[in-house]
Amino acid sequence: MTGADPGVRRISYPKGAFEPFYNPTSRFLPDPREGLSAIVKGITPTANCERYLVVTRYKTQLANTNLTLDGVGVYSRGLGSVLRRTELFANVSLSMLDGSTYERINRPLGNFGARLARGLQLGEDPLTKLENSEFPEPSAAAAGNTTLRERTRALIAARLDEVLPTYLSSD
C-alpha cells in the first residue's frame, strides 16, 4: 500500500521463492537470508510499498494423531462411513512488514476475538465440515474437485476476513 492510496496490489514472485522460509537449512542456527524479511526484500526491490502483507502457510499436527496438516487442504480419517470424519483446513498466517526497513509490524491481538469465538463454538464448524461423500475417490482427485475448491476458497476468505481488518487499520 502506498501513501494515501488504500489500494492493495498483488506482487508476483518466482516459484520456489519462499522455499528457504518453509525448509530452512538449519533450525538451530537460522540463516538470515532464509527469513521472511530477506525473502520479501529480494522479491520487492522496486515495489516501493509502505507495507507488505505476506500470507504464508504453516504446519500443525492434528490432535491425537500423527497426521500433519500443511497449508490448505482436506483430510478424511476414521473407519467405514459411519465413523469417518472429513474436513477442510486452512493453516495460513499473515505477517506485515514495513516497506522501507522490512521489519515485522506486530499485530499481536489481530484475530484474538475471532479465534476465541471459534474456540468457544459449540458443534462443528460448517466451513470445515464436509460430508464424507464429498471427499473424492481416489484422494488424488481432490485437486481437481470443484466442490472442494469452492469450499476451500470460502474457508480461506472467512479466515482472512477475521484478521485483515486489524492488519489494514491505520494505527
Side-chain angles (χ1 to χ4, degrees):
M1 298 188 353
T2 59
D5 180 8
V8 175
R9 59 186 163 130
R10 184 182 188 279
I11 297 175
S12 60
Y13 56 90
K15 184 175 182 166
F18 287 87
E19 195 59 32
F21 175 74
Y22 294 124
N23 299 301
T25 53
S26 173
R27 298 254 184 224
F28 300 110
L29 298 170
D31 184 343
R33 295 173 295 179
E34 297 175 338
L36 192 58
S37 295
I39 292 170
V40 173
K41 187 175 185 176
I43 293 170
T44 61
T46 60
N48 298 320
C49 292
E50 186 177 315
R51 296 175 282 180
Y52 297 100
L53 186 64
V54 184
V55 180
T56 54
R57 70 178 197 266
Y58 64 90
K59 295 178 184 181
T60 58
Q61 188 165 343
L62 188 61
N64 302 319
T65 72
N66 291 328
L67 183 60
T68 299
L69 306 177
D70 184 7
V72 177
V74 61
Y75 70 88
S76 183
R77 68 182 184 119
L79 300 171
S81 60
V82 177
L83 300 175
R84 180 159 296 286
R85 178 182 186 104
T86 304
E87 291 199 37
L88 293 171
F89 62 92
N91 295 334
V92 294
S93 176
L94 293 179
S95 301
M96 184 172 291
L97 304 177
D98 180 270
S100 57
T101 64
Y102 290 90
E103 294 293 320
R104 193 176 296 251
I105 299 171
N106 290 324
R107 303 279 196 209
L109 299 177
N111 62 348
F112 178 74
R115 284 185 297 178
L116 180 63
R118 195 172 347 126
L120 296 174
Q121 177 180 348
L122 296 176
E124 296 174 311
D125 184 347
L127 285 174
T128 62
K129 173 106 173 76
L130 287 173
E131 295 300 321
N132 292 329
S133 62
E134 293 177 303
F135 191 81
E137 291 295 335
S139 58
N145 186 290
T146 305
T147 301
L148 289 179
R149 187 171 33 255
E150 290 172 6
R151 296 278 309 272
T152 302
R153 284 184 180 144
L155 175 61
I156 293 171
R159 297 295 188 252
L160 291 176
D161 284 348
E162 289 175 357
V163 296
L164 275 176
T166 302
Y167 278 90
L168 299 178
S169 69
S170 59
D171 48 311

